[in-house]
Amino acid sequence: MTMEYEKCKTGSHWSQSQRCGKIGVVKQETVSDDVRGAAVGEATEPVFGGTFRALRYPNYRLIWIGFFLSNIGTWMQTVAQGWLVRELTASTALIGFVSFASSFPQIAFSLFGGVYADLFNRRKLLIGTQTVHMFNPAALGALVLLRDWKLWEGLSLWYVIAITFVSGLSSTLATPAFQALMLDLVRREDLPSAVALNSAQFNLSRIIGPTIGGLLFGVIGIAGCYFLNSASFLAVIAALWLLRMPPWSAPAGLGAREMWRQLV
């Protein structure tokens, strides 16, 4: 390299612009690469790597833990709800209709949920939907508790269906908002890691939740499982409040009339 530089100085082979200009370009590219490498090095300072790269972001860790605890509570409730529905009716058609009431809103209104996730503050939208999710099992647990204490005998399957339908509507807004929020929590190159970890926590909660629900069902009863699920949503709401994110602004050039047109 020294010999090449000396030749450049003495002009023995090429003109000054050809020789030194070429070296200058190489030097500039090297410095630029070093700067980019230093920036990535600062971002990857924690020990997380590979599949777990998304966990190096504090915001993502908060959301991951919050939704993991909440999903455990949801699967605990699933065990209790199966028993409750079986107590309220012997009709196999009505038992299936409870699941249909939960899934139908997500099938019918999911497109609208995606539009809302793009037009409104996703964090506030998720806080609102998770609050609805928190009150629904609390309300149903209270009704079951009143029935068990012989204070009210009016509990029927239609209460379960109605509350389940409202939860399905809330999930219609929450699911696309949660998926879109991932782009605000991690860099684009770490998005596959975030998606994989979300799938892992969901499937892990499917194992842990029913197991805990089955063990606690005989101790705290149906109402207790509903109340525990309600409390589990506090973890999600707290995680969403603790997120450190830049102030949200509406999409550029989107007036009130255009926003309404997008919604409908």
Side-chain angles (χ1 to χ4, degrees):
M1 187 69 180
T2 304
M3 295 177 61
E4 292 283 311
Y5 183 70
E6 291 298 330
K7 290 179 181 179
C8 177
K9 289 180 63 178
T10 57
S12 56
H13 283 79
W14 304 285
S15 66
Q16 187 74 11
S17 60
Q18 290 176 327
R19 288 177 279 108
C20 299
K22 184 176 181 180
I23 295 174
V25 171
V26 173
K27 183 178 180 181
Q28 183 179 7
E29 292 177 352
T30 304
V31 172
S32 178
D33 290 341
D34 291 341
V35 171
R36 286 196 297 268
V40 174
E42 290 177 2
T44 58
E45 184 176 353
V47 296
F48 301 109
T51 305
F52 303 96
R53 283 176 57 87
L55 291 176
R56 65 193 178 126
Y57 300 95
N59 283 342
Y60 180 80
R61 290 200 299 270
L62 281 172
I63 291 298
W64 193 92
I65 294 172
F67 273 92
F68 178 57
L69 295 175
S70 175
N71 284 332
I72 290 177
T74 300
W75 286 107
M76 288 175 56
Q77 175 183 301
T78 302
V79 175
Q81 185 163 292
W83 280 93
L84 176 62
V85 172
R86 188 63 184 86
E87 288 179 359
L88 295 175
T89 181
S91 171
T92 55
L94 288 177
I95 293 174
F97 192 72
V98 174
S99 298
F100 174 78
S102 175
S103 303
F104 175 75
Q106 300 182 47
I107 298 173
F109 307 114
S110 58
L111 293 177
F112 298 98
V115 174
Y116 273 85
D118 289 335
L119 295 181
F120 297 103
N121 189 319
R122 293 159 187 163
R123 179 168 67 167
K124 291 184 178 180
L125 188 61
L126 281 171
I127 290 175
T129 56
Q130 300 311 303
T131 302
V132 173
H133 280 310
M134 180 179 66
F135 281 116
N136 282 343
L140 197 50
L143 294 179
V144 173
L145 201 60
L146 290 174
R147 184 202 65 171
D148 294 342
W149 288 351
K150 308 297 183 182
L151 298 176
W152 183 63
E153 299 294 336
L155 180 62
S156 68
L157 184 65
W158 296 107
Y159 286 95
V160 180
I161 292 174
I163 293 177
T164 302
F165 181 80
V166 173
S167 294
L169 283 176
S170 181
S171 296
T172 302
L173 296 175
T175 301
F178 172 75
Q179 293 172 347
L181 185 67
M182 290 299 103
L183 289 173
D184 300 328
L185 301 180
V186 301
R187 293 181 180 177
R188 187 172 295 273
E189 60 266 23
D190 294 325
L191 194 58
S193 171
V195 173
L197 288 172
N198 286 338
S199 299
Q201 65 90 357
F202 180 79
N203 289 314
L204 188 60
S205 66
R206 292 182 66 177
I207 299 173
I208 299 176
T211 303
I212 297 177
L215 294 174
L216 293 179
F217 179 75
V219 179
I220 61 177
I222 296 175
C225 290
Y226 274 108
F227 288 135
L228 280 180
N229 180 37
S230 177
S232 70
F233 286 100
L234 292 173
V236 180
I237 296 173
L240 290 167
W241 274 114
L242 292 174
L243 290 180
R244 296 181 178 180
M245 301 176 64
W248 181 84
S249 58
L254 190 64
R257 181 177 297 181
E258 177 64 18
M259 181 177 291
W260 177 253
R261 190 185 69 82
Q262 291 283 346
L263 293 177
V264 297

